[in-house]
């Protein structure tokens, strides 16, 4: 699309009352919802009232006095942004007196503003400049040398944007955006009158302040006071394309604003239904990895991982890939090879990888990263509700009265959704946090949890069963809902189980470490506080009882009737941008797309007719099984698209052993990641900016990804998979991802109504979208569960086999941080490292004192599986006996520590519970140094003349 700003109506839409009023604006009769501002009314009818302090992303403020209007029958000149429309109102927006008043106001602004428009980075993209023209300002009687703010030093501390106080007009838009949109409250107005100025965290620079660099302030600024460094360097954009972020599962949509072929900035799209015009530091700013010097752009091969890489043509790399896979299957059998799909790639690309494996390899040896994150969500929700996905859209949280967050850290992992949740909490919703760590949600500006239950890692099921005990024994359950929507006999069996005294809050207090009174109060609040919603993350699923915990959560929602309407539900916060879509597309070894088992004859026949082959009815190998089979000598070849299993999967030594035992490992990725240390073929991938397709976010929302620039490697990822497939003897003829989606829709009932023309017209669709739900499904299970009757499942607490003891007295749990994403392959190649240059170990002061540790000391972190070394951060965020670290930096190799214990149903690893010891260290261990040397060797690329 050509470049133009999104229309700014000045004030947000009115909160609908269902009533409308009719008024006249500049002689035009209009009918609008009650509560609409005059400013918005004028804009919606094609008019334009000058404004500076007003923008439709924040509430009206009425400070700039530029938007004055005349209202017949009223004295004075009211501000149109703060004056609601009324029945019969007659408004004039353009009169001689109004023009005079507006020019007078604008004169005052310009008299205290630098007039360097021709050299200003915002020239042509500045609202102050535009509004000066709109009011017809031609001269300033007060001169142009206002000295109040002139000459103030720029704050260039933030790696992504500058703050120039001399260009600030103190409109407060940035302050209000930080408060209302982001909810961080990091900005304020210092001083009064002409001395007023914006200040981050009371006089700190932006980098050192509480600012989280979400960009809301930059987006709100009407001048060049807050402006992206890239705009300063490159110039203002000249075209824009709407696409979808490739970071977390929120699925924010952005306008990728370009200047020629160069990306200038990513601006959150106001029409985006997942993000509603907001963003975080990753999506807004951390896209520079797409053109990072580390990116590999040419295919490479090598016969052995001890040899340097050799750059080759695409033709040679694809032919070699196919020949190696055919050789291995001829030698070791059909099931000796498999693949891993990517949760970072599009639905279409993921679908093609599993199709390649099933149609081309002839087996079901396909898995995805959801194995190590949300596979228990799929199992647990399908068992209880009948479908493997969350029940609500993100907007639903604004109707919640009680919010239970368990095992999730939304402010770091899903920050844009967290901002919406915090807004609802500021409006009065009550919050319960179940987490071993004191996350920011527990207490932050204007938000404080009613209950923080810092349970001991590994005791989720015991805690949720104690919740159920309170609800059942105090008869707080919704009997009408249960009798109508669930199996009553199963409910009674479950109720008898949870009612036993051994499952009371008092009985489980020694297990969880949480006071029984707090548990009872939180359970009562959840059951009786109104609309209650549960949001959970990897702190639920990455346990040996992950599936049991998901089912325990579902039991609570059904027991209290908190399912099937807005403001309630069970909502997994998915980690990667398309982990929901990867699961939907059939990336598990036992399921086709749409979660249908491979043993189902009718489903398999449907795919066989479309693909023209006989498909295997036997489930294939999961990732852990592939690695086990490799060390046993029966699994020899692996195609890995966009995943770094050596860094992300548990027990790094075992993963490395499995990869080393294979004869052909193919990695398709942007960078030579840790898994590529063991690869024989590297196929350079493409970024989300270089491809077309769709992502499906955590709320089941299918959104378009649009190509912003040509692939630097020459091919989009779907094209690379098609090249491999055809080299394997298949006859794929896709010319565009829309054709792949048409095939997905034809084969997948929940996607039957999804087509690119609909996505272009409507922006997004939430599956199921089919004949039964032609407009998609924002809220699931409204009239009944997908499986029919909701199923209560008895979830007995079974302690993990991972035990603390004298040698390993502490429990390690892991998580993410705001500035980084997953294994950090992308964010570590951006300026986000300014906030988090290394993984650190959080340890409680008492545990640190017992070990003689000070903040910043090097420590050895040791478990039964291995050890690593990193710096310590002493903090009361964690309880005594618990330590915590992130896993974003390969130098740390946090998963060297984690064990092979996994969820009983899905093999999801138990990342969140590892018994460890912490002791002082002098620096990185010998193992880490050897590993770094090996990684450097594996990244060697032969000189071009040698390659020739």
């Amino acid at each position: 699309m050509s470049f133009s700003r999104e229309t700014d109506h000045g004030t947000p839409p009115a909160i609908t009352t269902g009533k409308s009023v009719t008024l006249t604006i500049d002689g035009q009769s209009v009918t609008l919802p009650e509560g609409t501002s005059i400013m918005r009314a004028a804009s919606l009818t094609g008019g334009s009232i000058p404004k500076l302090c007003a923008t439709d992303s924040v509430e009206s403020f009425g400070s700039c006095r530029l938007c004055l209007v005349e209202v017949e029958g009223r004295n004075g000149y009211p501000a149109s942004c703060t004056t609601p429309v009324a029945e019969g109102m007659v408004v004039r927006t353009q009169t001689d007196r109004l023009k005079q008043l507006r020019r007078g106001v604008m004169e005052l602004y310009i008299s205290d503003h630098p007039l360097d428009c021709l050299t200003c980075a915002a020239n042509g993209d500045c609202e102050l400049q535009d509004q000066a023209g709109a009011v017809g300002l031609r001269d300033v009687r007060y001169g142009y040398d206002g000295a109040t703010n002139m000459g103030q030093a720029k704050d260039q501390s933030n790696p992504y944007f500058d703050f120039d106080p001399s260009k600030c007009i103190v409109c407060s838009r940035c302050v209000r955006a930080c408060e209302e949109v982001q909810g961080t409250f990091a900005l304020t107005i210092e001083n009064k009158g002409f001395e007023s100025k914006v200040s981050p965290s009371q006089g700190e620079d932006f980098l050192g302040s509480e600012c989280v660099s979400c960009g809301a302030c930059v987006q709100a600024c009407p001048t060049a006071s807050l402006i992206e460094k890239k705009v300063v360097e490159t110039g203002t954009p000249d075209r824009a394309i709407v696409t979808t972020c490739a970071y977390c599962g929120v699925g924010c949509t952005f306008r990728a604003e370009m200047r020629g072929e160069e990306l200038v900035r990513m601006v959150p799209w106001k029409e985006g239904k997942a993000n509603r015009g907001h963003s975080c530091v990753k999506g807004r700013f951390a896209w520079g990895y797409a053109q990072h010097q580390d990116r590999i752009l040419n295919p490479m091969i090598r016969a052995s991982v001890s040899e340097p890489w050799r750059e080759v043509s695409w033709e040679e790399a694809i032919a070699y890939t196919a020949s190696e896979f055919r050789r291995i299957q001829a030698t070791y059998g059909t099931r000796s090879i498999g693949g891993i799909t990517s949760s970072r790639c599009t639905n279409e690309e993921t679908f093609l990888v599993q199709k390649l494996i099933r149609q081309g390899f002839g087996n079901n040896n396909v898995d995805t990263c959801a194995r190590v994150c949300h596979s228990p969500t799929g199992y647990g929700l399908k068992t209880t509700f009948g479908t493997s996905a969350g029940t609500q859209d993100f907007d639903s949280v604004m109707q919640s009265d009680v919010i239970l967050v368990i095992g999730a850290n939304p402010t770091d992992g899903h920050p844009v959704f967290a901002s919406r949740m915090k807004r609802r909490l500021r409006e009065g919703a009550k919050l319960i946090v179940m987490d071993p760590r004191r996350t920011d949600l527990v207490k932050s500006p204007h938000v404080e949890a009613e209950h923080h239950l810092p349970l001991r890692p590994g005791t989720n099921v015991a805690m949720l069963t104690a919740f159920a005990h309170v609800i059942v024994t105090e008869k707080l359950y919704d009997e009408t809902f249960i009798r109508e929507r669930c199996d009553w006999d199963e409910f009674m069996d479950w109720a008898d189980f949870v009612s036993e005294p051994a499952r009371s809050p008092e009985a489980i207090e020694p297990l969880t470490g949480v006071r029984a009174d707090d548990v009872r109060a939180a359970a009562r609040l959840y059951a009786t506080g109104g609309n209650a919603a549960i949001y959970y993350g990897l702190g639920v699923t990455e346990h040996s009882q992950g599936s049991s915990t998901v089912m325990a959560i579902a039991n609570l929602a059904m027991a209290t009737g908190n399912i099937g309407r807005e403001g309630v539900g069970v909502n997994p916060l998915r980690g990667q941008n398309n982990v929901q879509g990867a699961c939907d597309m059939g990336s598990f070894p036992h399921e086709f797309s749409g979660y249908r088992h491979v043993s189902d004859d009718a489903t398999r026949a449907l795919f066989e007719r479309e693909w023209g082959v006989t498909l295997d009815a036997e489930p294939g190998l999961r990732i852990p099984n592939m690695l086990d089979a490799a060390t046993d000598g029966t699994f020899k070849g692996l195609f890995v698209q966009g995943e770094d299993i050596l860094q992300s999967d548990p027990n790094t030594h075992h993963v490395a052993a499995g990869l080393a035992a294979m004869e052909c490992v193919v990695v398709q990725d942007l960078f030579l990641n840790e898994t590529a240390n063991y690869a024989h073929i590297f196929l350079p991938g493409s970024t989300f900016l270089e491809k077309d397709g769709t992502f499906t976010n955590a709320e089941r929302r299918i959104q378009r990804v649009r190509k912003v620039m040509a692939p630097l490697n020459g091919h989009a990822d779907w094209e690379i998979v098609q090249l491999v497939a055809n080299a394997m003897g298949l006859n794929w003829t896709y010319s565009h991802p829309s054709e792949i989606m048409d095939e997905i829709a034809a084969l997948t009932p929940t996607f039957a109504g999804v087509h690119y023309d609909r996505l272009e017209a409507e922006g997004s669709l939430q599956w199921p979208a089919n004949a039964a739900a032609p407009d998609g499904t924002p809220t699931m299970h409204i009239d009944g569960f997908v499986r029919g009757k909701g199923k209560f499942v008895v979830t007995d607490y079974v302690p993990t086999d991972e035990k603390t003891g004298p040698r390993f007295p502490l429990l390690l749990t892991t998580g993410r941080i705001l500035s980084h994403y997953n294994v950090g392959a992308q964010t570590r190649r951006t300026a986000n490292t300014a906030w988090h240059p290394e993984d650190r170990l959080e340890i409680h002061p008492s545990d640190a004192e017992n070990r003689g540790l000070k903040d910043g000391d090097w420590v050895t972190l040791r478990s039964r599986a291995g050890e690593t070394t990193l710096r310590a951060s002493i903090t009361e965020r964690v309880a005594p006996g618990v330590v915590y670290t992130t896993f974003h930096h390969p130098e740390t190799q946090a998963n060297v520590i984690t064990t092979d214990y996994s969820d009983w149903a899905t093999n999801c690893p138990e990342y969140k519970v590892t018994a460890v010891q912490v002791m002082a260290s002098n620096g990185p261990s010998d193992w880490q140094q050897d590993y770094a040397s090996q990684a450097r060797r594996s990244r060697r690329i032969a000189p071009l003349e040698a390659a020739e």
Side-chain angles (χ1 to χ4, degrees):
M1 64 176 71
S2 61
F3 182 77
S4 62
R5 293 184 196 158
E6 285 190 86
T7 301
D8 187 337
H9 296 300
T11 63
I15 297 174
T16 180
T17 63
K19 298 179 181 178
S20 297
V21 298
T22 300
L23 68 156
T24 301
I25 303 178
D26 294 331
Q28 182 179 355
S29 178
V30 296
T31 301
L32 293 163
E34 184 179 58
T36 303
S37 71
I38 291 176
M39 177 179 284
R40 186 176 183 89
S43 178
L44 291 171
T45 55
S48 178
I49 299 175
K51 63 185 187 299
L52 282 175
C53 74
T55 181
D56 58 14
S57 62
V58 295
E59 296 300 321
S60 55
F61 196 54
S63 70
C64 75
R65 312 313 293 171
L66 200 64
C67 71
L68 306 179
V69 294
E70 292 181 359
V71 178
E72 193 172 282
R74 294 192 188 183
N75 294 326
Y77 303 93
S80 61
C81 65
T82 57
T83 305
V85 297
E87 184 65 35
M89 178 182 278
V90 177
V91 179
R92 285 183 285 274
T93 70
Q94 300 292 332
T95 67
D96 290 341
R97 180 56 177 158
L98 289 173
K99 292 175 184 177
Q100 182 182 10
L101 289 169
R102 290 169 181 163
R103 280 195 294 268
V105 170
M106 185 58 73
E107 278 186 275
L108 293 171
Y109 280 110
I110 297 301
S111 71
D112 198 33
H113 192 83
L115 293 183
D116 58 352
C117 294
L118 291 180
T119 57
C120 178
N123 187 25
D125 191 28
C126 171
E127 291 182 49
L128 183 66
Q129 189 181 60
D130 293 345
Q131 297 305 328
V135 303
L137 184 66
R138 299 295 177 261
D139 190 25
V140 177
R141 292 169 290 174
Y142 315 112
Y144 302 95
D145 58 350
T148 305
N149 295 311
M150 301 297 189
Q152 291 194 55
K154 291 182 181 179
D155 178 353
Q156 298 180 307
S157 61
N158 189 285
Y160 294 119
F161 60 82
D162 295 336
F163 173 51
D164 185 351
S166 70
K167 295 183 178 180
C168 178
I169 61 173
V170 200
C171 64
S172 295
R173 277 165 55 164
C174 59
V175 177
R176 290 180 286 143
C178 189
E179 293 176 359
E180 297 175 27
V181 180
Q182 169 57 28
T184 296
F185 294 82
L187 302 180
T188 188
I189 302 293
E190 265 189 7
N191 304 324
K192 296 179 180 179
F194 284 109
E195 300 299 322
S196 300
K197 64 177 182 179
V198 171
S199 174
S201 297
Q202 295 293 335
E204 296 184 67
D205 62 26
F206 267 89
L207 184 61
S209 74
E210 295 174 347
C211 168
V212 294
S213 296
C214 67
C217 60
V218 180
Q219 187 173 355
C221 183
T223 69
S225 184
L226 284 161
I227 191 167
E228 297 93 335
K229 293 180 187 288
K230 185 70 173 177
V231 174
V232 176
E233 296 167 2
T234 306
T236 53
D238 54 26
R239 63 186 180 93
I241 299 171
V242 174
T243 191
T244 303
C245 179
Y247 277 118
C248 78
V250 174
C252 299
T253 44
F254 284 85
R255 281 164 49 96
E257 296 189 352
M258 311 287 294
R259 188 170 184 86
E261 287 298 306
E262 188 171 4
L263 181 57
V264 178
R265 63 188 175 197
M266 295 284 279
V267 179
W269 191 40
K270 290 193 294 186
E271 298 301 315
K273 295 176 183 177
N275 58 317
R276 302 294 184 189
H278 191 33
S279 61
C280 80
V281 62
K282 295 189 285 289
R284 179 70 195 263
F285 296 118
W287 38 264
Y289 68 87
Q291 295 181 307
H292 194 274
Q293 61 182 7
D294 287 353
R295 190 169 164 195
I296 304 299
L297 299 179
N298 297 306
M300 302 187 299
I301 63 176
R302 57 184 177 182
S304 165
V305 297
S306 63
E307 298 178 4
W309 287 104
R310 180 169 64 89
E311 288 190 357
V312 297
S313 67
W314 273 107
E315 291 76 14
E316 182 177 352
I318 296 298
Y320 186 60
T321 300
S323 66
E324 281 294 277
F325 282 150
R326 284 196 295 265
R327 175 188 65 79
I328 289 171
Q329 285 190 307
T331 305
Y332 302 102
T334 300
R335 296 181 180 177
S336 60
I337 63 174
I340 299 173
T341 72
S342 176
S343 293
R344 291 186 290 146
C345 289
T346 65
N347 286 317
E348 295 77 4
E349 289 159 349
T350 302
F351 183 83
L352 289 191
V353 171
Q354 64 86 33
K355 179 178 179 179
L356 167 67
I357 293 161
R358 291 189 160 105
Q359 184 190 31
F361 293 3
N363 62 53
N364 289 312
N365 292 337
V366 58
D367 210 348
T368 190
C369 87
R371 174 66 54 213
V372 299
C373 60
H374 270 285
S375 50
T377 286
Y379 182 91
L381 295 187
K382 188 170 184 179
T383 300
T384 52
F385 296 161
T387 190
S388 302
T391 62
Q392 314 295 124
D393 63 7
F394 289 145
D395 286 342
S396 173
V397 76
M398 299 307 293
Q399 307 301 320
S400 298
D401 302 304
V402 178
I403 300 169
L404 169 57
V405 177
I406 173 171
N409 185 7
T411 54
D412 280 13
H414 303 83
V416 172
F417 172 69
S419 293
R420 199 173 312 174
M421 179 187 289
K422 288 193 293 183
R423 177 183 293 186
R424 179 59 186 151
L425 293 171
R426 293 196 301 272
E427 292 175 351
K430 304 297 184 182
L431 174 65
I432 304 166
V433 175
M434 284 188 198
D435 200 289
R437 187 166 170 263
R438 196 183 72 241
T439 61
D440 286 344
L441 271 183
V442 173
K443 188 173 183 180
S444 58
H446 302 277
V447 168
E448 184 171 3
E450 196 81 5
H451 302 282
H452 175 214
L453 309 179
L455 71 174
R456 185 171 292 118
T459 60
N460 288 337
V461 171
M463 175 64 76
L464 293 169
T465 303
F467 257 51
H469 176 93
V470 175
I471 290 167
V472 171
T473 57
E474 297 185 10
K475 299 191 182 304
L476 304 179
Y477 52 84
D478 187 336
E479 181 173 345
T480 301
F481 179 91
I482 297 166
R483 287 190 179 276
E484 290 178 356
R485 299 284 303 276
C486 306
D487 186 301
W488 180 256
D489 290 337
E490 289 176 344
F491 166 74
M492 291 303 297
D493 291 341
W494 173 78
D496 289 343
F497 170 79
V498 301
S499 298
E500 294 175 7
R503 293 173 180 88
S504 69
E506 290 73 18
I508 63 99
E509 184 174 325
L511 295 173
T512 65
V514 180
R515 293 176 60 247
D517 288 348
D518 292 340
V519 176
R520 285 188 176 276
R524 290 168 185 148
L525 176 60
Y526 173 77
T528 65
N531 285 340
I534 301 176
Y535 293 89
Y536 70 87
L538 303 186
V540 159
T541 56
E542 291 179 343
H543 287 272
S544 59
Q545 281 201 286
S547 293
S548 297
T549 308
V550 173
M551 291 187 289
I553 288 170
N555 289 339
L556 289 183
M558 290 187 292
T560 55
N562 280 304
I563 202 81
R565 64 183 186 276
E566 287 192 4
V568 299
V570 174
N571 305 283
L573 295 174
R574 300 283 190 161
Q576 297 198 58
N577 56 297
N578 201 38
V579 67
Q580 180 68 61
C583 300
D584 299 340
M585 292 299 101
S587 294
F588 288 129
H590 64 293
E591 288 176 334
F592 291 115
S593 61
Y595 305 97
R596 293 160 296 165
H597 204 276
V598 296
S599 64
D600 182 74
D601 293 339
T603 300
R604 204 168 58 256
L606 179 69
F607 282 85
E608 288 175 341
R609 286 194 298 272
E610 179 70 24
W611 293 350
V613 296
T614 299
L615 297 174
D616 194 347
E618 183 73 23
L621 299 176
R622 300 168 173 176
I623 293 173
N625 306 135
M626 294 181 197
L627 296 170
D628 291 342
T631 57
D632 290 342
T634 59
F635 189 86
K636 292 293 185 177
L638 184 65
F639 183 95
V640 186
Q641 182 190 64
E643 292 295 336
D644 190 0
I645 61 171
L646 190 60
Q647 189 176 344
S648 64
D649 283 34
N651 196 341
T652 302
H653 294 309
H654 179 60
V655 178
L659 291 170
M662 298 183 197
E663 295 183 7
C664 181
V665 175
V666 180
V667 169
Q668 180 183 349
D669 216 309
L670 303 175
F671 307 103
L672 281 171
N673 57 25
E674 302 307 300
T675 302
N677 294 339
Y678 292 88
H680 306 85
I681 301 169
F682 188 89
L683 304 177
S686 54
T687 70
F688 77 108
L689 297 169
E690 301 164 336
K691 62 178 73 170
D692 284 293
T694 58
F695 293 151
T696 306
N697 74 351
E699 50 174 359
R700 297 170 283 103
R701 188 180 301 282
I702 306 155
Q703 301 181 110
R704 284 280 281 114
V705 180
R706 296 177 179 85
K707 185 162 69 173
V708 172
M709 58 183 70
L712 297 181
N713 63 339
H715 295 288
D717 288 322
W718 70 267
E719 294 174 310
I720 297 169
V721 178
Q722 178 162 274
L723 289 171
V724 172
N726 288 337
M728 292 287 294
L730 307 178
N731 184 31
W732 294 1
T733 58
Y734 306 108
S735 61
H736 189 269
S738 60
E739 298 171 2
I740 306 171
M741 179 54 73
D742 289 343
E743 182 174 324
I744 295 168
L747 292 170
T748 313
T750 49
F751 275 66
V754 180
H755 303 282
Y756 274 35
D757 54 352
R758 286 201 68 190
L759 294 176
E760 293 291 347
E762 300 177 33
S764 65
L765 285 168
Q766 289 176 265
W767 69 258
N770 47 30
D775 297 322
T777 312
T779 302
M780 296 282 281
H781 317 300
I782 292 176
D783 298 316
F785 290 101
V786 170
R787 71 181 306 278
K789 293 284 188 179
K791 182 178 182 63
F792 281 88
V793 179
V794 171
T795 54
D796 197 4
Y797 167 64
V798 179
T800 173
D801 290 333
E802 180 70 352
K803 309 292 187 186
T804 58
R807 290 181 59 212
F808 304 105
L810 305 175
L811 283 176
L812 169 71
T813 188
T814 62
R816 295 171 176 168
I817 201 165
L818 171 64
S819 54
H820 282 297
Y821 168 76
N822 206 27
V823 297
Q826 293 151 266
T827 48
R828 282 186 286 105
R829 291 175 170 90
T830 71
N832 279 28
T833 53
W835 291 281
H836 190 72
E838 61 183 353
D839 293 321
R840 287 210 169 201
L841 184 75
E842 292 186 2
I843 184 169
H844 191 271
S846 63
D847 292 323
E849 184 178 2
N850 290 339
R851 291 161 175 78
L853 302 176
K854 299 187 300 295
D855 196 73
D857 281 356
W858 283 98
V859 297
T860 295
L861 178 66
R862 180 176 296 156
S863 74
R864 295 179 178 90
E867 70 176 56
T868 189
T869 306
L870 68 170
R871 295 184 194 272
S873 289
I874 300 175
T875 175
E876 292 186 350
R877 277 182 175 268
V878 291
V882 176
V883 292
Y884 168 90
T885 190
T886 51
F887 49 85
H888 303 303
H889 292 269
E891 295 83 3
T892 306
Q893 286 293 311
N895 283 332
V896 168
I897 303 301
T898 52
T899 68
D900 282 333
Y901 293 126
S902 63
D903 174 51
W904 62 270
T906 66
N907 279 140
C908 184
E910 191 172 45
Y911 290 123
K912 304 305 182 188
V913 187
T914 305
V916 297
Q917 179 59 284
V918 176
M919 62 200 77
S921 172
N922 292 323
S925 65
D926 292 341
W927 177 85
Q928 287 172 289
Q929 295 178 39
D930 292 344
Y931 185 86
S933 298
Q934 177 187 352
R936 285 193 294 272
R937 287 195 300 272
S938 75
R939 289 176 169 85
R940 287 182 298 157
I941 300 175
L944 187 60
E945 58 270 23
E948 293 171 349

